[in-house]
Amino acid sequence: MEISGNFEGVGMEVGVKDEVLTVIAPLKGTPAEKAGVEAGDKILQIDETPTYNLTIDEAVDMIRGEKGTEVVLTVAREGESETIEIPITRGVIQIPTIDTELRNDGVFVISLYNFSGNATSAFEEALKEFVETDSEKLILDLRGNPGGYLQAAVEMASYFLDSGEVVVRETGRGGEEVEVYRSKGYDIFDQELDMVVLVNRGSASASEILAGALSENNVATLVGEKTFGKGSVQEVVEITPETSLKVTIAKWLTPNGVSFSEEGLTPDVEVELNSDELNSGNDKQMERAVELLLEN
């Protein structure tokens, strides 16, 4: 997925998990989401082509295409005994960034959809809007957010953390710590802030970095489902002029040393939610998050 601008295609982020091409998350309002693609779907076939021997770039090139054309994905989904064929008509994908809402109960919700080039400034504006409401109860919804720029996650965490607090650790292939990314100390909130971060299996990469930093620095409670687990730093090495190899050179860890790529993040309060419930307006994860905030 591109993390700025727009493109023609179906609108989803894919990666490799357990050596299988896997949907990290469909983007909000895109053909992929409308067709019923879900985070965690394992893509076994693109049209008539099996994916087991495709690189990520090759798969993405096949899934993308001109608006109005169709691609059929054959997926395996957890809980389903048979594969599912999902036809998707491609469109122009406008990458969403952020939405805000002040609920009638006084809870302010920031829904962040990616960590793109303009996400940091959009997040800053959303926080200003929150402060102006005089609410002290904040939900940051990172569900279905496949990530983006690491630095954007560090910047966002800095609004909540003291200067020098660890946001994320980077370790090399041998497990040695090679870099620690720390808060810049904007820390604009006092101890009155009550915060919940919503996550699910479509929350990946920079989403996991931000959620892990806020959770382990005791700023927010995590609610939802276990995250995707995308915490590796990769480098493309050219083997020949026609071939290349993508090598994992480092991993990201939470401040307390939890590996995203190996474990993902487990919420403090686990609430399962399937797509049918969400599409019918029964957002149990959001409801539980609100309950937690209103109890305080």
Side-chain angles (χ1 to χ4, degrees):
M1 182 195 78
E2 295 177 5
I3 51 179
S4 61
N6 59 65
F7 58 94
E8 293 185 0
V10 303
M12 64 184 187
E13 171 87 354
V14 296
V16 174
K17 188 168 188 178
D18 300 327
E19 300 184 353
V20 180
L21 185 68
T22 303
V23 176
I24 299 174
L27 302 180
K28 180 180 174 63
T30 60
E33 184 189 54
K34 293 174 182 177
V37 173
E38 296 185 6
D41 282 350
K42 297 185 180 300
I43 303 174
L44 306 181
Q45 191 168 294
I46 303 168
D47 290 327
E48 301 301 320
T49 304
T51 61
Y52 66 88
N53 61 349
L54 296 178
T55 67
I56 288 283
D57 291 341
E58 289 171 338
V60 168
D61 286 343
M62 292 184 66
I63 293 171
R64 282 188 183 176
E66 293 183 6
K67 65 178 181 179
T69 61
E70 185 179 82
V71 61
V72 179
L73 304 182
T74 302
V75 306
R77 180 172 296 168
E78 185 176 352
E80 299 289 342
S81 58
E82 298 183 357
T83 59
I84 304 169
E85 286 193 357
I86 306 177
I88 311 172
T89 301
R90 300 177 177 100
V92 176
I93 309 303
Q94 301 290 339
I95 301 176
T97 300
I98 204 164
D99 284 323
T100 60
E101 177 192 7
L102 178 61
R103 295 168 47 100
N104 292 334
D105 52 27
V107 174
F108 194 83
V109 181
I110 298 175
S111 300
L112 183 67
Y113 303 118
N114 61 60
F115 290 77
S116 61
N118 67 340
T120 302
S121 59
F123 189 70
E124 180 180 356
E125 290 301 314
L127 290 181
K128 288 179 180 177
E129 186 181 342
F130 168 57
V131 170
E132 289 170 358
T133 67
D134 292 326
S135 173
E136 296 174 346
K137 301 185 183 299
L138 176 63
I139 293 175
L140 175 57
D141 190 350
L142 297 178
R143 294 176 297 175
N145 184 325
Y149 293 120
L150 165 64
Q151 196 56 45
V154 175
E155 287 282 333
M156 292 177 194
S158 296
Y159 286 105
F160 303 94
L161 304 180
D162 290 335
S163 179
E165 295 282 1
V166 176
V167 176
V168 65
R169 302 179 186 276
E170 185 177 324
T171 62
R173 294 183 65 184
E176 72 283 3
E177 189 164 89
V178 295
E179 189 156 5
V180 177
Y181 296 87
R182 298 182 182 273
S183 167
K184 298 181 180 180
Y186 307 146
D187 194 17
I188 62 175
F189 297 103
D190 58 27
Q191 297 301 315
E192 298 302 318
L193 177 68
D194 291 323
M195 185 175 183
V196 168
V197 177
L198 283 171
V199 294
N200 66 2
R201 58 186 174 175
S203 306
S205 185
S207 285
E208 293 171 295
I209 288 172
L210 180 56
L214 296 180
S215 172
E216 293 189 357
N217 283 291
N218 300 314
V219 172
T221 300
L222 300 189
V223 174
E225 300 163 309
K226 191 171 184 178
T227 61
F228 184 86
K230 185 186 179 188
S232 58
V233 182
Q234 295 182 317
E235 183 177 87
V236 177
V237 179
E238 290 193 10
I239 306 299
T240 72
E242 291 80 27
T243 61
S244 61
L245 178 66
K246 188 173 286 187
V247 179
T248 298
I249 59 172
K251 291 184 178 181
W252 288 328
L253 310 179
T254 67
N256 291 345
V258 176
S259 170
F260 300 121
S261 57
E262 294 175 4
E263 303 174 39
L265 294 176
T266 300
D268 303 301
V269 180
E270 295 193 62
V271 182
E272 297 292 326
L273 180 68
N274 62 47
S275 57
D276 290 338
E277 291 172 324
L278 185 59
N279 292 335
S280 66
N282 182 19
D283 191 344
K284 296 185 295 185
Q285 294 169 341
M286 180 66 73
E287 291 173 4
R288 185 68 182 111
V290 171
E291 287 175 3
L292 288 171
L293 292 176
L294 296 182
E295 287 171 2
N296 295 332

